[in-house]
Amino acid sequence: MEIAFLMPLVLSLLLFPNSICRSLAARPPVVNIGSILQLNSTTGGVSEVAIHAALEDINSDPTVLNGTTLNVLMKDASCLDGFLGMVQALQFMETDAIAIIGPQCSTIAHIISYVANELRVPLMSFASDATLSSIQFPFFVRTAPSDLYQMAAVAAVVDYNRWKIVTAVYIDDDYGRNGIAALDDALTAKRCKISYKVGFPANAKNSDLINLLVSVSYVESRVIILHTGAAPGLRLFSMANRLNMMGNGYVWIATDWLSAYLDSNSSVPADIIYGMQGVLTLRPHIPNSKMKSSLVSKWSRQSKKYNHSDLRLSSYGFQVYDSVWALAHALDAFFDDGGRISFSNDSRLRDATGGTLHLEAMSIFDMGNKLREKIRKVNFTGVSGKVQFDASGDLIHPAYDIINILGNGMRTIGFWSNYSGLLSTIPPEDLYSKPPNVSLANERLYDVIWPGETAQRPRGWVFPSNAKELRIGVPNRFSFREFVTKDNVTGSMKGYCIDVFTQALALLPYPVTYKFVPFGSGTENPHYDKLVQMIESNEFDGAIGDVAITMNRTVIADFTQPFIETGLVILSPVKKHITTSWAFLQPFTLEMWCITGVFFLVVGVVVWVLEHRINDEFRGSPRQQMITIFWFSFSTLFFAHRENTMSTLGRGVLLIWLFVVLIIQSSYTASLTSILTVQQLDTSIRGIDDLKNSDDPVGFQVGSFAQEYMVKELNISRSRLRPLGSPQQYAEALKLGPKKGGVMAIIDERPYVELFLSSYCKIAVAGSDFTSRGWGFAFPRDSPLQVDLSTAILSLSENGELQRIHDKWLKTGECATDTSEFIDSNQLRLESFWGLFLICGVACILALLIYFGIMLRKYLRHEPKKSLRRFISFVDDKEPPKNRKKRSQSLPASSTGSLSALDIERPARPVRNGSVIDIES
């Protein structure tokens, strides 16, 4: 029996001499786990107490591991000394631990993760470095929110307060650099950016930190994001307070290191807390629960037991406590699934010459992959809330409290949750049962007391007193110099736009140092697109003047609020209407006169056809019938027709035609009155369509965006465009006209046109504005000066200063009153009446179709012989008296009565056969 038992062991030693296998029972009495912490740090001390508290609760509960006891082996690894921390951590890996709680430091976590991959030992780490990925490090399990989410919360706070640029101060290690990189990405998604970032080593001297803060005070951003550890962060706050950088105008946002320090330390020195008044910080959100209250109540006893009586429970403590519980639940599932704890040496840990690397004590956890999968599948509710991992290995629903340092403590002003990605005053756990609401209109935080003990939100930036002088590009115009120009005597820039800019700057609560740089020679107008492009290439720090805000320009620069509204309009020569003896023809166009006359005849013919057979007033010789048609048609213009209509169809057509005549007559009278009593100005162009449909030249101002607009938007050929550089050239080109080398019209912006028309009276605006534009001051993208100047321009508009500046430089002359209104022809066109003519024409056609249908039916009923000639003769013949009498009797009494009354006064008319018609017939 003994030989049979020893044979497998002997064979394994013979076949695998370099491999020593150690196996434990499936449910061993004791399981070792490890912990790598910096025990002399606040976070390390809190984590140590939390681990022991969790182990006591787990080991005292026989239902968790069915009698298996968890034992922790702790290793102290310094985060500040990367090399020694790495060596201490590697030495710790020589123990047979099935999992490791920690490390807390991102620097050590990067190194140990490689070892964990090789030895298949899961790391239950709360290092927040976002680059620690489960893809690169499959055995790295993050049990705290990643910095990706924390920086998204910081970016949300920045965007909520409408700040666009921030300064980032960080500790120069993996934790600091990678955290700021995540912040940069989060701010970019909000269209914000880091304008200045500076790092420092963990062992930086005080003099180095002072120099760092001085450099920060020189930049324009006053929103400072501080991403460090507790010790260097507190030193920075103390020095910033001494440099008066914790007062009005500054915004300090510290990442979760500050809340962890304040939560964990029972007594914070008064000078430290006093120097951080108004600071914002973040804290991983821990929802309230009975489990949380229970752990808090027994924390004091636990902290004394493990020599950390001065430490209180922080969010890190809750997360570490749940990390141990997550491992216990995973181990229980691991054992239930047949998992066994066994280790074997790695034969690859040798050098090329065959000598060992002195790491043979390190052993591989044979079933580490299986335990890792069980950890990823845990799902329970702990003291920190829901403990469950998503597909990427991060905890679900990461959330943060937004905290304001105030007085001797902290005040929660809101929350941020990755569930919605927005700031809210509602706790995140209350939102999980509802669909995520991602509307920015629902974002809200409670009021903040900012540094300097003010409730007014800081602007977030200032113009530094030692900043370089801004180079402001200003167009040096040749024409329309009232807007902006260079004074040839003093060399200074002056004009309407200059006054608006200087008045707006005077409203800013900080000084701005600048100098005007003329752009252009002054002999011709410069091209404004090039001026804006020089801002993008950093040749200018801004551009002011009569710069139109166009789509192409807004792509490369930011513009202020427009200080004057503009739009492209058409300039065209005008002439006064001279009242002549033929003025009565002017209300209608020739087309309108012709169509109206044709309809008079058409209606007369239609009524004649409908009445000819039954109405003796529409019968007689051909000459008499022609006279009747013309007389009846044109007498309806004055409603003076004497002929009665007896047929229903004829009366219907006549009723519609009289309505048309009424409208035409009223319109004609009104238009003729206007022509004869009001002085008229007329232009041959009525709008942009006339320009597009013509082949004549069109003028534009040199340097204006109107040239490209006409080519690209209006599809006017570039060969038709003529550049004009001065008001004199405008007038001369319009006077000559297209046939003599001039232009048919000029397209320019309204402010130039109004100034031009104040001196030239024989030119006017044709049609209305066909674009909506404005002039603004241009600055680089995301320039804070653009926002503040926009506010100042609105203030100038509200207090009337803009209008006073306008009247000073752009006061119009005598001609402006006569020519500032839009001029259009008063002639009435067919387009205004075609609907009426259409209705009348349709009525005539329908009446004729119905009439000939009735005649055809009668013809087919009474005529035995059928032919076209006989049908025409049948239609032309007079209807028998019996039928007409029946028709007369069928009419209403009022109608027949009125007809008889008229006919009594009228003598009998002769008809074609020479007989006299009796009134009764």
Side-chain angles (χ1 to χ4, degrees), residues 621-815:
S621 65
R623 178 174 175 273
Q624 289 176 331
Q625 294 183 58
M626 290 295 295
I627 294 173
T628 300
I629 290 174
F630 278 95
W631 166 256
F632 177 82
S633 299
F634 290 100
S635 63
T636 57
L637 178 63
F638 310 102
F639 306 100
H641 54 287
R642 299 181 58 194
E643 291 78 10
N644 292 313
T645 52
M646 299 178 60
S647 67
T648 303
L649 292 175
R651 290 178 176 179
V653 170
L654 183 60
L655 179 65
I656 294 174
W657 173 243
L658 290 178
F659 175 74
V660 174
V661 169
L662 176 64
I663 300 299
I664 293 176
Q665 185 187 62
S666 301
S667 302
Y668 175 86
T669 303
S671 180
L672 182 62
T673 302
S674 175
I675 290 174
L676 295 177
T677 58
V678 181
Q679 177 179 317
Q680 295 291 313
L681 297 176
D682 190 20
T683 168
S684 59
I685 300 173
R686 286 171 296 275
I688 194 63
D689 290 336
D690 291 345
L691 292 183
K692 293 168 66 175
N693 297 330
S694 173
D695 293 327
D696 292 330
V698 179
F700 68 93
Q701 184 181 173
V702 175
S704 171
F705 74 94
Q707 178 185 14
E708 295 301 319
Y709 182 87
M710 286 189 285
V711 173
K712 296 179 180 179
E713 301 296 332
L714 304 181
N715 296 320
I716 296 177
S717 172
R718 197 179 294 272
S719 61
R720 292 179 55 195
L721 305 183
R722 301 291 185 268
L724 303 172
S726 67
Q728 293 76 17
Q729 292 183 13
Y730 279 26
E732 184 65 23
L734 290 173
K735 180 180 179 181
L736 291 175
K739 296 182 179 180
K740 297 182 180 181
V743 296
M744 67 178 301
I746 295 172
I747 291 184
D748 205 351
E749 296 177 76
R750 177 161 287 279
Y752 303 122
V753 169
E754 290 179 348
L755 194 61
F756 172 78
L757 293 179
S758 65
S759 302
Y760 295 87
C761 303
K762 297 183 179 180
I763 300 171
V765 174
S768 58
D769 297 29
F770 54 90
T771 65
S772 179
R773 291 287 193 276
W775 290 351
F777 304 138
F779 292 95
R781 301 285 292 176
D782 300 323
S783 171
L785 196 59
Q786 173 259 339
V787 177
D788 288 350
L789 277 178
S790 293
T791 305
I793 290 172
L794 288 175
S795 298
L796 291 177
S797 176
E798 292 174 358
N799 62 24
E801 186 63 27
L802 267 184
Q803 186 61 44
R804 286 190 287 272
I805 298 173
H806 180 278
D807 294 341
K808 171 186 174 182
W809 289 97
L810 309 178
K811 191 173 182 180
T812 55
E814 296 178 356
C815 295

Side-chain angles (χ1 to χ4, degrees), residues 111-127:
I111 300 171
I112 299 303
S113 293
Y114 287 104
V115 181
N117 285 351
E118 181 67 23
L119 302 183
R120 303 173 197 166
V121 177
L123 293 179
M124 309 287 287
S125 176
F126 40 95

Side-chain angles (χ1 to χ4, degrees), residues 382 432 600:
Y432 297 152
F600 271 110

Side-chain angles (χ1 to χ4, degrees), residues 422-443:
L422 301 177
L423 300 170
S424 174
T425 55
I426 303 174
E429 58 270 18
D430 294 345
L431 302 176
Y432 297 152
S433 59
K434 306 173 184 177
N437 191 337
V438 296
S439 173
L440 293 177
N442 296 322
E443 276 201 316

Side-chain angles (χ1 to χ4, degrees), residues 243-309:
L243 293 174
N244 295 323
M245 295 178 64
M246 301 297 297
N248 262 338
Y250 280 91
V251 177
W252 289 85
I253 303 177
T255 50
D256 59 359
W257 64 266
L258 179 57
S259 64
Y261 171 80
L262 296 177
D263 285 336
S264 302
N265 289 273
S266 57
S267 60
V268 180
D271 59 332
I272 292 180
I273 195 71
Y274 172 77
M276 295 187 296
Q277 295 297 297
V279 172
L280 296 182
T281 185
L282 283 76
R283 174 202 291 145
H285 178 69
I286 307 296
N288 294 323
S289 65
K290 292 182 179 180
M291 297 175 61
K292 175 183 176 182
S293 301
S294 176
L295 181 59
V296 171
S297 63
K298 64 182 180 181
W299 181 263
S300 178
R301 177 178 57 83
Q302 292 286 350
S303 60
K304 290 180 181 178
K305 182 177 179 180
Y306 297 101
N307 301 320
H308 291 292
S309 58

Side-chain angles (χ1 to χ4, degrees), residues 492-569:
S492 61
M493 306 302 295
K494 63 179 183 178
Y496 166 73
C497 299
I498 300 296
D499 281 5
V500 173
F501 178 71
T502 55
Q503 290 294 324
L505 281 184
L507 296 180
L508 300 185
Y510 50 85
V512 178
T513 306
Y514 65 92
K515 68 174 180 180
F516 291 137
V517 180
F519 175 73
S521 62
T523 58
E524 64 177 5
N525 296 332
H527 289 273
Y528 284 39
D529 285 340
K530 295 180 180 178
L531 174 61
V532 178
Q533 289 170 3
M534 293 178 72
I535 299 176
E536 184 184 29
S537 61
N538 294 324
E539 295 179 62
F540 288 143
D541 299 310
I544 70 168
D546 48 338
V547 183
I549 304 173
T550 65
M551 183 183 67
N552 292 335
R553 294 171 185 173
T554 56
V555 172
I556 59 178
D558 280 349
F559 284 83
T560 63
Q561 169 80 17
F563 56 87
I564 188 172
E565 295 296 329
T566 68
L568 290 179
V569 294

Side-chain angles (χ1 to χ4, degrees), residues 646 648 651 886-900:
M646 299 178 60
T648 303
R651 290 178 176 179
K886 289 181 180 180
R887 180 185 302 275
S888 177
Q889 291 175 351
S890 66
L891 294 174
S894 61
S895 299
T896 56
S898 62
L899 290 174
S900 299

